[in-house]
Amino acid sequence: MKATAKAHPIQGLVKYHGMRDEELRLPYHDSISVSTAPSHSKTTAEFDPGLETDTYVVDGETLEGRGAERIRSVVDHVRDLAGFDHRVRFESVNDFPTNIGFGSSASGFAAAAVALCEAADLGLTHPEMSTVARRGSASAARAVTGAFSHLRNGLDDEDCRSERIETDLEDELRIVAAEIPAFKHTEEAHKEAADSHMFEARMAHIHGQIAEMRHALREANFDDVFELAEHDSLSLAATTMTGPAGWVYWKPETLEVFETVRELRDDGVPVYFSTDTGASVYVNTTAAYVEEVENAISELGIDTRRWGVGGPAEVLDESEALF
């Protein structure tokens, strides 16, 4: 009862903010993202009736407290679905910087859900497994289905699940990831989202934005898709900054990247910035311009990575197991 899986992190294009149900992690509204590759999380999970306790290890660290609780919420759901109560040995690693705004919780919980479901021999589809991953992180639901994916709003697993959106932009998109390390507190920001006076304004336009994003993706209109993503990043920041804690994730380097992107765009380069709840920046461009864009960001003294579009979470061969 052992399996290994990997999943790619996500860049939020129309991001969710806040949850109507924190236990089931049901967001207030729909969201759309794109998975980024080759960055990934890999997880091995083994259910063993001979074990006395669960163990959760991430990047070599044994988790306790809230970190362990979030993984346990996914593990317990899989145990319920499987109809057994075996303890689990769980180990996960990431090949990219975590907790700086690059969607590591999404890839981590997506890989965890797929590995756990495979180890329990549940035989679920990717949309069904997305509801398992969602219990760890709503963004993880979209990392399960991969590429460009849409997580529907809902009050149960039948409705609140992820589906993939087919688009020709999968081959064209290139992402220059500008690494700006700054520890973030995404979970705390979600808890107070509805307390911002900007939240209702965000809710008023988010449904139209989802419709526009889906249409632009189907039309493979690069500029429309990533202009929408850029504006959504600004909207999300306005909401987080006006909550009770006044979260400000951006750093001076973040604003430098924004300005550089705008200067490149003024010169005719198809390029747009996007951020999640962190200081790091996704710089979205096309294959023809990615080298020029990466050079411009690197000249700011910022470390970069070059990513494309990643597929759905997948089960790996047993030879790739972490233990």
Side-chain angles (χ1 to χ4, degrees):
M1 305 184 73
K2 177 178 176 180
T4 301
K6 81 170 183 178
H8 302 291
I10 60 92
Q11 171 193 174
L13 301 179
V14 180
K15 293 165 274 290
Y16 84 94
H17 190 48
M19 290 171 287
R20 67 173 72 248
D21 186 314
E22 292 185 12
E23 181 179 350
L24 297 179
R25 301 191 83 83
L26 300 172
Y28 283 108
H29 58 77
D30 292 16
S31 54
I32 295 174
S33 64
V34 59
S35 290
T36 60
S39 54
H40 67 272
S41 301
K42 181 193 290 188
T43 297
T44 298
E46 181 177 25
F47 288 106
D48 184 348
L51 294 176
E52 294 185 359
T53 60
D54 293 337
T55 57
Y56 309 120
V57 177
V58 177
D59 288 333
E61 178 185 354
T62 299
L63 297 188
E64 299 177 347
R66 181 58 183 152
E69 288 175 7
R70 289 182 66 180
I71 296 174
R72 191 176 301 113
S73 67
V74 178
V75 172
D76 284 345
H77 184 53
V78 171
R79 283 193 278 237
D80 288 343
L81 292 173
F84 59 61
D85 194 34
H86 305 329
R87 299 300 94 187
V88 71
R89 180 181 176 188
F90 176 103
E91 187 168 337
S92 183
V93 294
N94 302 285
D95 78 337
F96 63 101
T98 62
N99 212 34
I100 64 170
F102 282 149
S104 59
S105 63
S107 56
F109 281 109
V114 172
L116 289 161
C117 289
E118 179 70 13
D121 196 25
L122 295 180
L124 302 181
T125 66
H126 276 82
E128 288 169 336
M129 288 189 290
S130 78
T131 70
V132 178
R134 194 199 66 232
R135 284 163 165 78
S137 164
S139 296
R142 290 180 265 110
V144 170
T145 50
F148 291 88
S149 282
H150 181 175
L151 176 62
R152 303 278 185 178
N153 178 35
L155 299 179
D156 52 46
D157 290 344
E158 290 300 314
D159 291 330
C160 193
R161 59 176 59 195
S162 179
E163 65 177 16
R164 185 163 169 173
I165 304 172
E166 299 296 334
T167 173
D168 290 341
L169 289 180
E170 288 185 19
D171 295 328
E172 183 67 6
L173 175 62
R174 296 294 183 274
I175 302 159
V176 176
E179 296 181 16
I180 303 171
F183 188 82
K184 62 190 183 70
H185 301 274
T186 306
E187 190 169 21
E188 288 83 352
H190 281 307
K191 288 179 179 179
E192 64 173 42
D195 294 327
S196 164
H197 68 274
M198 298 293 291
F199 182 72
E200 290 302 323
R202 181 168 173 80
M203 289 290 289
H205 74 77
I206 202 75
H207 305 296
Q209 196 164 326
I210 288 285
E212 290 176 19
M213 180 64 78
R214 287 185 64 94
H215 177 73
L217 285 168
R218 287 204 183 93
E219 295 291 313
N221 188 319
F222 178 88
D223 291 301
D224 282 357
V225 167
F226 291 102
E227 183 178 17
L228 281 166
E230 185 171 292
H231 283 293
D232 185 70
S233 299
L234 299 173
S235 170
L236 178 72
T239 308
T240 57
M241 287 191 292
T242 52
W247 298 108
V248 179
Y249 293 108
W250 295 344
K251 299 297 180 183
E253 296 91 335
T254 308
L255 302 181
E256 284 188 273
V257 173
F258 291 176
E259 186 62 26
T260 298
V261 167
R262 286 171 168 158
E263 290 172 357
L264 286 167
R265 199 159 64 224
D266 287 343
D267 290 337
V269 177
V271 60
Y272 298 86
F273 63 79
S274 176
T275 62
D276 289 335
T277 46
S280 297
V281 187
Y282 300 97
V283 182
N284 298 298
T285 188
T286 62
Y289 290 91
V290 65
E291 186 169 354
E292 178 181 354
V293 170
E294 187 168 27
N295 288 340
I297 302 302
S298 296
E299 286 175 3
L300 299 175
I302 294 172
D303 291 335
T304 62
R305 293 171 183 247
R306 189 184 298 188
W307 291 334
V309 176
E314 60 181 318
V315 176
L316 301 178
D317 187 82
E318 61 182 16
S319 65
E320 298 198 53
L322 298 175
F323 58 83

